[in-house]
Amino acid sequence: MRKSFIGLLFWACILVGASAQNESFLKWDSVHTGLSDEWVEKIRNMPNIEVGRGITFQPQNKSYGMTMRFRMQNMVGLYMDEDFKVTKTEAQVKRLRLRFDGYIYSPKLTYSIQLGFSPYDTKVLPNGNNNIIRDAMVYYIPSSTWNIGFGQTKIKANRARVNSSSALQFVDRSIVNSEFNLDRDFGFFGEYHKPVIGDFHLSAKGSVTLGEGRNWATSENSGLAYTGRIELFPLGRFKSYGEIIEGDFEREQTVKMLLAGTYSYNHRALRVQGQNGARMPEGMKRSLSSYFFDFILKYRGFAFYTDVMGRACNDPVLDTETGQFVYAGKGVNVQTSYILPSNWELALRNSTLLPDREVRPLAGYDTFNQSTFGVTKYLIGHSLKVQADASYNYRTNVMKEYNRWEVRFQVELGL
């Protein structure tokens, strides 16, 4: 028994190494291994492990499949005034997440589950609900052309938010995305993908959701949120879904491009950012219109992005005494990068927030501009990387103090 157990451990290590090199172990039998047929059968049903692709479990009859992944982001940041005096130090596990993807009963019936455990992820919602669940989706995928889903996940609104936080080329997303993104919500989701002419591809995505964001659970006499997005790929699709991964890590050999637009209407929203933010005072509700335009270009290690987004509200000032308001306005984000053959990447980003005139006194500025320089070393793609960035903040007609400089460092590790 002891000999068999040691043999099982040995061959399990061989299995992990073989799977990491995309070699098949399942064809081996008792003749090749020297183990009994019983032990070979057990090894065949052990998980397949590959860095960046998780741990995959699947029985031999393939009645179900499950891939488990985890990732963490450990981050430290210094925030300084214009005299470089440190006003705040931040050191935390920014994200710690566990994810399960797979299918059950049929490969056409898939699921996706993601949980978040860091304080950043689990902040209690304004209605008191906990916030551990990030994604809990069931999808029906009859073909590669279209699919429908039910549950909680990201609203397909803008590319910066749809990008996983594990696939960013800066320590975090831009100030523009932080203000205007729609985040996650619960409801029905659908996607349609089809080549049109030659390399020209089109994708249409839409959703009907509760409108109050993830884990809200109940809506009090408010309406729903309706979102539609069109994506155009005039020169063909990106390699390895590069439209949702920042930087050109795949080094596209021909120019690839994305043009996309989104409109979302959140009827009688309860929160100041629709799916995000504080609850509006005294049971107030506002209907919010949000729009997003995205452009991506990648070619041989070079990447360029432009994001334009905004929010409109008929009566954005909620309470002048407490300073509560809906941030009505727009934002523009431009970023570019180049990845060297050594897998060092240099990136620049400029982000500008432009609040509407009536909310500027409450926002505390007329314009808010942030310029960021980032450096990333990819060790195993986006699964293991070291990042650092430095930002300069500048506001016009400032009505309160703010940090002028930011320096951040982060290590990302995922399986």
Side-chain angles (χ1 to χ4, degrees):
M1 182 67 184
R2 181 179 178 184
K3 180 179 179 182
S4 298
F5 179 71
I6 294 173
L8 176 61
L9 290 179
F10 173 78
W11 288 111
C13 292
I14 296 296
L15 172 62
V16 171
S19 65
Q21 299 177 40
N22 295 321
E23 297 176 359
S24 175
F25 182 79
L26 298 181
K27 63 183 180 181
W28 291 18
D29 55 28
S30 58
V31 175
H32 293 89
T33 62
L35 297 175
S36 66
D37 291 338
E38 179 185 359
W39 284 113
V40 170
E41 188 65 23
K42 289 181 179 180
I43 292 175
R44 283 177 174 174
N45 287 280
M46 289 182 70
N48 173 30
I49 304 172
E50 187 172 353
V51 175
R53 297 182 181 273
I55 305 173
T56 298
F57 300 85
Q58 187 179 58
Q60 194 170 4
N61 63 11
K62 298 184 179 180
S63 58
Y64 72 89
M66 184 186 76
T67 298
M68 180 178 69
R69 298 181 178 92
F70 77 87
R71 66 184 179 91
M72 64 179 179
Q73 293 177 343
N74 294 342
M75 190 267 284
V76 61
L78 299 177
Y79 302 85
M80 296 165 277
D81 59 21
E82 58 185 354
D83 297 321
F84 294 97
K85 180 181 178 180
V86 176
T87 60
K88 183 177 72 171
T89 301
E90 185 178 11
Q92 63 172 316
V93 179
K94 184 68 177 288
R95 296 176 176 92
L96 179 62
R97 296 180 183 172
L98 187 62
R99 178 172 171 172
F100 303 88
D101 299 279
Y103 71 89
I104 190 167
Y105 180 70
S106 167
K108 294 183 178 181
L109 189 64
T110 69
Y111 61 87
S112 180
I113 299 169
Q114 184 175 194
L115 307 175
F117 300 99
S118 69
Y120 174 83
D121 283 334
T122 59
K123 295 175 184 176
V124 177
L125 296 170
N127 66 351
N129 288 356
N130 64 46
N131 213 11
I132 295 175
I133 302 171
R134 300 190 68 79
D135 298 297
M137 286 292 297
V138 177
Y139 293 98
Y140 174 58
I141 309 176
S143 72
S144 60
T145 302
W146 66 280
N147 66 77
I148 56 174
F150 175 65
Q152 177 176 289
T153 191
K154 291 179 181 178
I155 296 176
K156 305 302 189 295
N158 63 307
R159 72 93 201 158
R161 191 64 186 91
V162 175
N163 282 7
S164 170
S165 56
S166 66
L168 303 179
Q169 56 188 183
F170 295 92
V171 173
D172 215 338
R173 298 182 179 92
S174 71
I175 57 173
V176 175
N177 176 82
S178 296
E179 183 58 55
F180 294 113
N181 85 87
L182 302 186
D183 198 53
R184 289 170 164 87
D185 209 348
F186 188 97
F188 292 92
F189 301 80
E191 297 186 14
Y192 175 81
H193 313 275
K194 188 176 182 180
V196 181
I197 300 174
D199 289 333
F200 191 98
H201 284 66
L202 176 146
S203 292
K205 304 175 182 180
S207 61
V208 179
T209 58
L210 187 66
E212 271 65 70
R214 59 188 175 106
N215 301 317
W216 195 262
T218 58
S219 185
E220 303 166 4
N221 298 318
S222 65
L224 301 175
Y226 309 89
T227 305
R229 178 174 174 84
I230 297 293
E231 297 178 342
L232 304 177
F233 300 85
L235 302 175
R237 300 298 296 260
F238 295 84
K239 291 180 182 179
S240 304
Y241 298 99
E243 66 271 19
I244 59 172
I245 299 174
E246 290 193 345
D248 184 20
F249 190 79
E250 295 292 334
R251 296 179 172 87
E252 299 281 356
Q253 293 304 300
T254 60
V255 176
K256 295 297 173 60
M257 190 181 302
L258 167 71
L259 296 166
T262 304
Y263 177 76
S264 181
Y265 180 72
N266 195 333
H267 182 55
R268 292 170 59 81
L270 300 174
R271 303 173 71 179
V272 295
Q273 291 178 293
Q275 286 84 359
N276 284 310
R279 192 165 186 161
M280 297 185 193
E282 300 178 359
M284 293 182 180
K285 300 178 182 66
R286 294 289 188 273
S287 293
L288 309 179
S289 297
S290 300
Y291 57 87
F292 306 86
F293 298 99
D294 302 304
F295 173 77
I296 303 175
L297 185 148
K298 293 187 178 184
Y299 180 59
R300 295 191 176 183
F302 170 79
F304 177 81
Y305 300 85
T306 298
D307 312 304
V308 178
M309 56 193 86
R311 180 186 300 120
C313 177
N314 288 334
D315 188 11
V317 178
L318 304 175
D319 191 330
T320 55
E321 291 186 4
T322 60
Q324 291 179 283
F325 67 102
V326 173
Y327 195 112
K330 64 181 85 59
V332 180
N333 181 67
V334 179
Q335 68 187 66
T336 186
S337 65
Y338 181 74
I339 183 167
L340 301 168
S342 59
N343 286 339
W344 282 93
E345 182 183 64
L346 305 177
L348 292 171
R349 180 174 69 194
N350 191 77
S351 308
T352 306
L353 286 170
L354 303 163
D356 287 348
R357 184 181 299 276
E358 54 190 317
V359 301
R360 288 174 188 171
L362 298 176
Y365 55 84
D366 286 354
T367 63
F368 179 7
N369 188 83
Q370 183 182 78
S371 299
T372 304
F373 172 69
V375 178
T376 299
K377 172 59 176 178
Y378 298 99
L379 300 173
I380 308 178
H382 283 279
S383 298
L384 179 58
K385 60 186 178 183
V386 180
Q387 297 179 291
D389 63 30
S391 298
Y392 175 73
N393 301 312
Y394 178 73
R395 303 182 184 184
T396 60
N397 293 329
V398 182
M399 302 170 193
K400 53 186 176 182
E401 294 182 359
Y402 65 97
N403 289 316
R404 187 62 63 90
W405 298 92
E406 300 176 13
V407 179
R408 302 178 295 185
F409 172 80
Q410 177 173 275
V411 175
E412 165 99 25
L413 186 150
L415 180 63

